[in-house]
Amino acid sequence: MFTQLRDDIRSIIERDPAARNTWEVLTCYPGFHAIMLYRCSHWCWTHHMRWLGRFISYLARIFTGIELHPGATIGRRVFIDHGFGVVVGETAEIGDDCTIYQGVTLGGTSLSKGEKRHPTLERGVIVGAGAKVLGGFTVGEYAKVGSNAVVVKEVPAGATAVGNPARIIEKDAKKSRDHLFSAYGVIPNGDDPVSKALLALIDNAAIQEQQISKILATLKSAGIVCEGCSGLDKLDPEQLNKLVS
């Protein structure tokens, strides 16, 4: 138990630059307190004392603002940063070394008892503030869920999901492991796929405009005048790129 406690404290200090020492983590981190109380409630839940497990979970919610169902499965070195408003459902599974920020919901979309209703987060997953992961699917190893994303389907290992509904913007697991930890699920130079598509369309339109201008100039030099093709507003790709990016 004490080894697990030391691992939890060490992982928080590694992932939060505001954590200065062990005493500060022990006394001032509600996410740490919620995990400790969860372990007590989970023990009760798995030893047929389910009311007591729920009651301890309820007390933890009052004191920390974090609701972890005692039936959930939570691994080692899980860090709930800030934590207020985090909700983890009964059949949720959280793997080792995951990081969850405030306002996250690991929720279910089914009312059927006895089935897997809540998501599974594999090792090293980061879920940004306010994200909602809803359903009995899997978020793969070292995947990242951006802040305020709404994820309703599986996320591949090493991918990053952003938006509502969430879109996958990166699927390179090796690249993702190169920066194992990204605060709030933000990856370096991670562009939204819709923005990338719009930027590509703008660049393509600018190239086509240049080609059309050359064609018109060639026709004019040959004495062929195309009526209605003059006086059109020119595309400003730089201005449009600023609006999209």
Side-chain angles (χ1 to χ4, degrees):
M1 184 181 77
F2 290 105
T3 300
Q4 193 171 25
L5 192 68
R6 285 196 299 269
D7 284 348
D8 288 336
I9 294 170
R10 189 182 303 114
S11 70
I12 290 172
I13 292 173
E14 288 173 355
R15 283 180 262 178
D16 185 4
R20 293 175 296 179
N21 51 56
T22 298
W23 179 246
E24 186 171 10
V25 173
L26 281 170
T27 56
C28 301
Y29 274 69
F32 175 76
H33 302 150
I35 291 290
M36 295 300 102
L37 289 168
Y38 155 79
R39 288 185 181 138
C40 295
S41 67
H42 183 67
W43 187 90
C44 293
W45 185 268
T46 55
H47 287 76
H48 310 292
M49 295 180 282
R50 295 199 166 184
W51 177 86
L52 183 57
R54 287 302 301 267
F55 186 66
I56 294 171
S57 173
Y58 175 66
L59 293 177
R61 179 189 177 200
I62 292 173
F63 288 113
T64 67
I66 299 168
E67 184 173 343
L68 306 177
H69 194 286
T73 302
I74 299 179
R76 299 170 67 91
R77 298 177 299 279
V78 172
F79 179 27
I80 302 176
D81 196 1
H82 304 295
F84 199 85
V86 167
V87 177
V88 176
E90 178 184 4
T91 62
E93 299 175 46
I94 303 175
D96 297 344
D97 303 305
C98 289
T99 304
I100 297 173
Y101 288 89
Q102 66 271 19
V104 166
T105 298
L106 303 184
T109 56
S110 169
L111 298 179
S112 300
K113 293 184 178 181
E115 70 175 33
K116 171 74 168 162
R117 308 188 309 277
H118 302 86
T120 295
L121 309 185
E122 294 187 341
R123 177 188 293 271
V125 170
I126 299 171
V127 186
K132 314 300 176 190
V133 186
L134 309 174
F137 53 84
T138 298
V139 179
E141 283 192 349
Y142 302 103
K144 300 175 183 66
V145 178
S147 296
N148 294 316
V150 179
V151 183
V152 293
K153 60 183 179 181
E154 186 169 324
V155 180
T160 299
V162 296
N164 178 10
R167 300 178 297 275
I168 305 302
I169 66 173
E170 182 181 317
K171 292 186 179 180
D172 188 344
K174 182 180 183 304
K175 182 180 178 183
S176 182
R177 288 193 180 101
D178 288 342
H179 355 263
L180 268 183
F181 183 73
S182 298
Y184 293 93
V186 177
I187 60 170
N189 303 316
D191 292 329
D192 179 70
V194 175
S195 296
K196 285 185 174 181
L198 288 173
L199 290 171
L201 288 171
I202 291 167
D203 291 340
N204 186 264
I207 293 171
Q208 288 185 355
E209 186 179 59
Q210 292 175 359
Q211 292 174 338
I212 291 170
S213 296
K214 291 179 181 179
I215 292 170
L216 291 174
T218 302
L219 291 173
K220 187 176 181 180
S221 64
I224 302 172
V225 178
C226 297
E227 296 182 2
C229 293
S230 59
L232 296 177
D233 294 334
K234 288 192 175 182
L235 180 70
D236 186 351
E238 290 187 5
Q239 182 64 28
L240 291 174
N241 285 336
K242 287 179 182 178
L243 293 173
V244 172
S245 60

